[in-house]
């Protein structure tokens, strides 16, 4: 697929996916969702890539929301298809990827943009970031997983407050409530995100993959059983053998 709305780059084991629609503050249209889905699928299959960073072009916006012009005249069936296809093609795909995805939230992350960031495994934000789910101002609700992922991250009460009020919050407030992990200046954001990605990239790819799957089931009935089985399965894998050998030999593992 030839990408028109995203830019791919990589430095060693770290890939960077940049949404590049600055004229619309990187708003998500269906074409961009399809391009992102294709890119994440290919990066997931690339054995050389260990960590993926997702960001938006410029400093004004990560993703300012969905492209409302695309669905303004939809009926019920078309709207359900839009939400279902978007979730399956991109948002759920990112959450369940075998590799960690870090969102570098630079500027506005509203509506579908915040939902996209929440689908990532870790979120760093710039100090000028503004985050929110304004869908109720349009007579809608979040349709790309926002009503499900936000309560998991910040708790039901705060999630209700943000969704019902449609207010934007600052990056610092987002950190206070656990919506983002860290806040940096705009000039530092990508560098600090790459530092974390580099740290992660040195660790066991198989261990991280199993950890993603287990953490995604936290609070669900079979989450503990998934952890137990994954823990056991890893004992038969090369990463565990190398990691334990390196520890006993007092050297760094070569995963």
């Amino acid at each position: 697929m030839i990408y028109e709305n995203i830019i791919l780059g990589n430095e060693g084991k770290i890939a960077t996916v940049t949404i590049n629609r600055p004229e619309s503050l990187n708003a998500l249209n269906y074409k961009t969702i399809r391009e992102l889905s294709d890119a994440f699928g290919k990066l997931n299959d690339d054995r050389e890539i260990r960590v993926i960073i997702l960001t938006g072009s410029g400093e004004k916006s990560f993703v300012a929301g969905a492209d409302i012009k695309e669905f303004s005249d939809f009926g019920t069936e078309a709207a359900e298809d839009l939400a279902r296809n978007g979730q399956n093609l991109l948002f759920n795909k990112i959450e369940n990827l075998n590799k960690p995805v870090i969102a570098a939230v630079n500027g506005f992350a509203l509506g579908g943009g915040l939902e996209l960031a929440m689908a990532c495994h870790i979120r760093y934000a710039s100090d000028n970031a503004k985050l929110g789910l304004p869908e109720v101002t349009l007579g809608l609700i979040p349709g790309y997983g926002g009503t499900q992922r936000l309560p998991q991250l910040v708790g039901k009460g705060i999630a209700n407050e943000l969704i019902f009020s449609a207010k934007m919050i600052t990056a610092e407030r987002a950190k206070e409530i656990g919506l983002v992990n860290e806040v940096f200046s705009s000039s530092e954001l990508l560098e600090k995100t790459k530092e974390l990605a580099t740290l992660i990239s040195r660790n066991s790819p198989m261990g991280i993959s199993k950890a993603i799957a287990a953490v995604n089931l936290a609070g669900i009935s079979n989450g503990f059983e998934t952890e137990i089985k994954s823990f056991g399965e890893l004992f038969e894998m090369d990463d565990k053998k190398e990691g334990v050998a390196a520890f006993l030999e007092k050297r760094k593992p070569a995963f």
Side-chain angles (χ1 to χ4, degrees), residues 27-129:
L28 280 182
N29 59 7
Y30 193 63
K31 182 177 181 60
T32 305
I33 287 174
R34 287 180 59 242
E35 289 184 10
L36 287 167
S37 177
D38 184 81
F40 277 105
K42 288 176 179 174
L43 291 171
N44 201 43
D45 293 337
D46 187 338
R47 295 173 63 87
E48 298 300 315
I49 299 299
R50 300 282 183 89
V51 186
I52 303 167
I53 296 170
L54 176 62
T55 193
S57 61
E59 295 183 0
K60 290 183 178 180
S61 181
F62 173 71
V63 172
D67 196 330
I68 296 171
K69 296 189 297 291
E70 278 199 337
F71 58 79
S72 60
D73 60 350
F74 277 12
T76 296
E77 186 174 347
E80 287 183 3
D81 287 343
L82 177 76
R84 184 174 290 108
N85 291 336
Q87 288 192 31
N88 292 335
L89 271 174
L90 182 59
F91 296 80
N92 295 344
K93 174 182 274 190
I94 289 175
E95 184 174 51
N96 294 304
L97 219 63
N98 291 328
K99 300 172 182 180
V101 182
I102 309 172
V105 180
N106 48 321
F108 292 114
L110 304 175
L114 180 53
E115 289 174 295
L116 185 60
M118 288 192 291
C120 298
H121 304 108
I122 299 167
R123 286 155 295 282
Y124 277 5
S126 61
D127 53 12
N128 70 328

Side-chain angles (χ1 to χ4, degrees), residues 221-240:
S221 59
N222 62 341
F224 284 103
E225 186 61 27
T226 297
E227 179 184 282
I228 290 166
K229 288 186 175 180
S230 296
F231 181 77
E233 289 167 357
L234 286 165
F235 271 70
E236 300 296 328
M237 296 183 179
D238 291 341
D239 277 10
K240 174 265 176 184

Side-chain angles (χ1 to χ4, degrees), residues 160-206:
N160 284 340
E161 177 187 344
L162 294 178
I163 293 170
F164 300 169
S165 70
K167 66 183 178 182
M168 287 191 294
I169 60 172
T170 65
E172 287 296 340
R173 176 58 178 157
K175 182 181 177 182
E176 287 175 6
I177 63 177
L179 184 52
V180 303
N181 297 65
E182 297 288 351
V183 178
F184 302 100
S185 68
S186 296
S187 60
E188 289 183 305
L189 175 62
L190 206 52
E191 177 187 347
K192 293 295 186 180
T193 306
K194 288 178 180 177
E195 286 179 9
L196 176 63
T198 299
L199 187 64
I200 293 171
S201 72
R202 296 171 181 158
N203 297 323
S204 160
M206 187 55 66

